Amino acid sequence: MKNFFSFAFAALFLFSAAFVSAHQPYLIDGERQVSVADPEISKAYYGEFVGTSTVFTIRESKPFKLYVGVLVPTGYGAPANVSAEIRKESDLVANLSATSTEWTRFYEPFGGDDYFQGPEFRADATSGAYTITVSRPENTGKYVLVIGETESFTIDETIRTLGVLPSLKSEFFGKPAWTAYLNRIGLFAGLGIVGAIIVLLLIQSFFKKLFGLFKKKKVVD
């Protein structure tokens, strides 16, 4: 019994660990206006230009840490030339020009995909309304905008992420949906599910034994 519980909790721990250092993924397709809640929480917005730029809006009533990063998925024919302009009201905060940085290629092991990483911006931001306008010449092709650096995955968010991954893999990356779990997330998710099943079975067994003892005691009385 003790060994079963140890395995179950270890599996559940690994399941949670799969999302450490991972962004909350959001598939925004061709949306032109996106509202960003909790800007300090790390989120990755997967989008595709439809002939116009995309504007992300942040409204905060207190100071916060602002992080913005630009990524481009590799292998889709679109050059790594996505820029982002950050403004507070009408004032320019930062211009993340595609030509102002050296794009570096990296492999993201949790989702199992390759990207070019471009310009980034970090600052202690005051309260107010901010806009982040993302664009590239002719505004075509795919991009990823990362906002926030604090990793946070509640149970609800973890479940939502597991549900959105197949759509993200098929609609954004053009790969079979089932490949969404052929990575670290899939491995740890599998272990987590097994652990959860074992915990439920153990709880069921415990209550059966408890009920049996209660009935036995009642008969003896």
Side-chain angles (χ1 to χ4, degrees):
M1 179 73 72
K2 182 179 180 181
N3 290 335
F4 275 120
F5 270 113
S6 297
F7 174 78
F9 285 114
L12 290 172
F13 173 78
L14 288 173
F15 179 54
S16 300
F19 296 95
V20 174
S21 299
H23 310 295
Q24 295 180 2
Y26 289 86
L27 182 61
I28 60 173
D29 295 322
E31 293 182 37
R32 300 177 183 179
Q33 298 281 340
V34 180
S35 179
V36 179
D38 299 321
E40 289 190 345
I41 302 301
S42 183
K43 305 177 186 67
Y45 294 92
Y46 294 78
E48 183 169 5
F49 294 111
V50 289
T52 62
S53 57
T54 306
V55 179
F56 295 80
T57 302
I58 297 172
R59 298 183 185 279
E60 279 292 291
S61 59
K62 58 184 180 180
F64 66 101
K65 294 185 180 299
L66 176 62
Y67 170 81
V68 178
V70 181
L71 305 173
V72 171
T74 65
Y76 296 91
N81 61 350
V82 177
S83 300
E85 182 183 82
I86 306 172
R87 288 184 175 274
K88 180 181 180 182
E89 306 296 345
S90 59
D91 297 329
L92 180 65
V93 175
N95 182 19
L96 281 63
S97 172
T99 59
S100 66
T101 187
E102 181 180 352
W103 292 75
T104 57
R105 182 167 182 162
F106 76 98
Y107 174 74
E108 197 279 299
F110 296 96
D113 300 297
D114 290 285
Y115 300 88
F116 288 113
Q117 182 169 352
E120 297 177 286
F121 176 79
R122 292 178 179 87
D124 291 325
T126 57
S127 60
Y130 292 79
T131 58
I132 305 167
T133 303
V134 184
S135 63
R136 71 148 42 103
E138 299 183 6
N139 286 321
T140 60
K142 299 178 179 180
Y143 68 93
V144 182
L145 184 72
V146 177
I147 298 177
E149 289 190 287
T150 301
E151 289 80 20
S152 175
F153 276 90
T154 62
I155 293 177
D156 289 345
E157 181 57 35
T158 300
I159 294 172
R160 187 197 69 81
T161 296
L162 289 174
V164 79
L165 287 178
S167 297
L168 181 62
K169 191 67 74 171
S170 61
E171 296 178 26
F172 187 82
F173 291 102
K175 300 176 182 179
W178 55 269
T179 62
Y181 303 113
L182 294 181
N183 46 47
R184 290 187 186 180
I185 288 178
L187 172 63
F188 291 129
L191 289 173
I193 291 171
V194 170
I197 292 173
I198 291 175
V199 169
L200 290 174
L201 290 175
L202 289 173
I203 291 174
Q204 183 184 42
S205 175
F206 171 78
F207 279 106
K208 279 186 177 180
K209 288 182 179 180
L210 186 64
F211 183 68
L213 290 174
F214 177 75
K215 286 181 64 178
K216 185 176 180 181
K217 183 176 182 302
K218 188 174 181 180
V219 170
V220 171
D221 292 343

